[in-house]
Amino acid sequence: YAPTRCAAAQTSTEQGILPPCHHHETVHDPQLVPCTCPLFSCPWEGHLEVVVSHLRQTHRINILQGAEIVFLATDMHLPAPTDWIIMHSCLGHQFLLVLRKQEKYEGHPQFFATMMLIGTPTQADNFTYRLELNRNQRRLKWEATPRSVLECVDSVISDGDCLVLNTSLAQLFSDNGSLAIGIAITTSKVHNAEAEM
């Protein structure tokens, strides 16, 4: 379990918790990637291979190992917008789980969860991620191809191309204001078939 809460409630570098973000979109040099941490308006830009060390050192993002993990997002009652994030390392790559609470329509907060590969879109196509909520004899799964961090997480969320929960659904799966999200990452079938040839 990875207990993580947002710094809107409490700032703790130990937990990898950061304040809500203000987003920026422009990338001047196509070789440079803006900071992919959605919790900060961070001016940093760098090459893809140093994104992970930037997130770990500057933003103190926790990293979990293994093909299957459980991410525990606490303080789900915090007002929108709020983000929870964790890095997930498996299959030789690093992924970023972003869980965001935001109002798409005024007075109606929703939860959006997506996985971003810290890599290129071509690399992202080689993987499938599964997010699973399981509580009170109910199970909800979302399975998709991760997006690359070279794409903007804001557009993934605004397009709704992710796991979307309204407040009442999130409450069905939460336990004392915490939401446990099972995460599994596998290589896609196309990638497996190529590897066997």
Side-chain angles (χ1 to χ4, degrees), residues 42-60:
C42 175
W44 180 89
E45 286 186 334
H47 291 277
L48 202 51
E49 57 271 13
V50 293
V51 168
V52 172
S53 58
H54 169 73
L55 292 173
R56 297 270 294 147
Q57 292 164 14
T58 305
H59 300 303
R60 305 275 186 236

Side-chain angles (χ1 to χ4, degrees), residues 116-173:
M116 309 289 283
L117 171 72
I118 300 176
T120 66
T122 305
Q123 290 172 315
D125 285 342
N126 291 327
F127 298 97
T128 300
Y129 75 93
R130 186 181 72 239
L131 303 179
E132 186 173 320
L133 302 172
N134 193 348
R135 188 163 187 278
N136 293 333
Q137 299 174 345
R138 295 175 180 87
R139 182 182 302 240
L140 182 65
K141 287 185 188 181
W142 168 266
E143 193 169 290
T145 300
R147 302 289 277 275
S148 163
V149 293
L150 298 175
E151 302 174 59
C152 179
V153 70
D154 292 342
S155 63
V156 173
I157 288 172
S158 62
D159 292 347
D161 186 14
C162 54
L163 174 64
V164 182
L165 304 171
N166 63 25
T167 310
S168 58
L169 195 54
Q171 285 171 348
L172 278 178
F173 288 100

Side-chain angles (χ1 to χ4, degrees), residues 1 26 28 57 63 65-66 87 89 92 114 124 126 128 146 153 165 172 178-179 181 183-184 192-193 196:
Y1 284 87
T26 26
H28 306 292
Q57 292 164 14
I63 189 162
Q65 309 278 342
M87 264 198 297
S89 177
T114 190
N126 291 327
T128 300
V153 70
L165 304 171
L172 278 178
S178 297
L179 197 62
I181 303 173
I183 305 168
N192 286 340
E196 289 169 12

Side-chain angles (χ1 to χ4, degrees), residues 178-189:
S178 297
L179 197 62
I181 303 173
I183 305 168
I185 296 178
T186 55
T187 53
S188 63
K189 291 180 176 71

